[in-house]
Amino acid sequence: MSILLDNQFKELPPDKSVDTKSFLDAVSHLPPFFDCFGSAVFYVIKSDISGNITKIRKVYDKDPAKYVTLQDIVEDERETYGAEWPKVGATLALMWLKRGLRFIQILLQSLADGERDENKPNSIQVNVTKAYENALKRYHGWMVQKTFQMALLAAPYRTNFIKALSKGEEVKEEDCLANVRQFLVNFTATVDAIYEMYTNLNAELDYTV
Ligand code: 0SG
């Protein structure tokens, strides 16, 4: 079975609010996936994303009834932290996490759309680069962009990546990509909704690390 379909994101309600518990449950299945890749550079990425998730979960666990949606958390922190907000707390963690999720979304969409380098058909570097340039690059200074270059060199081959998405089983590429397309429906809607919330609440920041 596909690692993605086993851990689907929930369909959003009409008001596009994101249920905190369902979101955290779905997103927490993503970091273990990095273990398939081997290279140490993925450990840095895994621990960054895991740190974001832990920080959001800690706030949620303090009062699940109060923080039913992600917007409940962000709005509550806006009241609590005043001038420090939004560069603080779970608001900051979710700001960065959504960028990582956007990266994953663009990468998977590009693979599902069949985009590839005709000279290196078993490479996903063209897909990874597209995702990086659209989701992350503008937030990265020179040093972190170098880390990306290392990750790019360590990127798995398309066939191995697809095998990893299928929990190591030998599946037809087309079957795996059909699962990716199905996963992307609710995943994309969720990532879009979080971006929209950050815009509406004026919580987005544009600095580099
Ligand atoms: C399959 C091949 C995949 C290749 C993947 C390449 C991906 C790009 C790699 C870039 C390397 C990123 C390494 C980490 C960079 C981090 O510095 C940044 C900023 O991190 C934030 O900094 C923290 O996340 C915040 O943590 S918080 O929870 O405490 O709030 C905070 O510390 C903040 C500092 O804030 S400040 O105090 O300055 O205001 N992180 C990123 O850029 C996110 C990287 C996500 C990469 C997602 C890759 C997914 C790959 C999926 C493959 C299937």
Side-chain angles (χ1 to χ4, degrees), residues 34 45 48 52 55 87 92-93 96 103-104 140 148 207:
F34 292 96
I45 299 168
D48 193 65
N52 299 150
K55 213 162 171 181
K87 205 175 184 180
L92 179 66
W96 281 101
F103 174 95
I104 293 169
H140 289 167
F148 166 72
Y207 62 96

Side-chain angles (χ1 to χ4, degrees), residues 42 103 107 110-111 115-117 120-133 148-158 161:
F42 292 108
F103 174 95
L107 171 60
S110 174
L111 289 166
E115 292 172 351
R116 64 174 82 204
D117 179 347
K120 290 192 267 176
N122 200 22
S123 163
I124 61 168
Q125 289 187 346
V126 70
N127 316 88
V128 172
T129 301
K130 177 181 183 178
Y132 183 68
E133 285 178 351
F148 166 72
Q149 295 298 339
M150 284 166 60
L152 186 64
L153 292 176
Y157 287 116
R158 172 188 295 267
F161 187 70

Side-chain angles (χ1 to χ4, degrees), residues 87-173:
K87 205 175 184 180
V88 70
T91 305
L92 179 66
L94 184 59
M95 185 190 306
W96 281 101
L97 179 61
K98 76 179 178 15
R99 293 170 184 167
L101 298 181
R102 180 67 92 201
F103 174 95
I104 293 169
Q105 179 223 324
I106 296 172
L107 171 60
L108 293 177
Q109 188 67 60
S110 174
L111 289 166
D113 292 345
E115 292 172 351
R116 64 174 82 204
D117 179 347
E118 294 306 332
N119 296 318
K120 290 192 267 176
N122 200 22
S123 163
I124 61 168
Q125 289 187 346
V126 70
N127 316 88
V128 172
T129 301
K130 177 181 183 178
Y132 183 68
E133 285 178 351
N134 282 283
L136 290 169
K137 191 176 178 184
R138 64 181 289 178
Y139 306 109
H140 289 167
W142 184 84
M143 275 290 283
V144 185
Q145 288 193 24
K146 286 285 158 209
T147 310
F148 166 72
Q149 295 298 339
M150 284 166 60
L152 186 64
L153 292 176
Y157 287 116
R158 172 188 295 267
T159 37
N160 291 343
F161 187 70
I162 285 173
K163 200 170 164 187
L165 288 175
S166 314
K167 287 193 182 157
E169 291 166 18
E170 294 293 342
V171 289
K172 283 198 206 127
E173 177 167 327

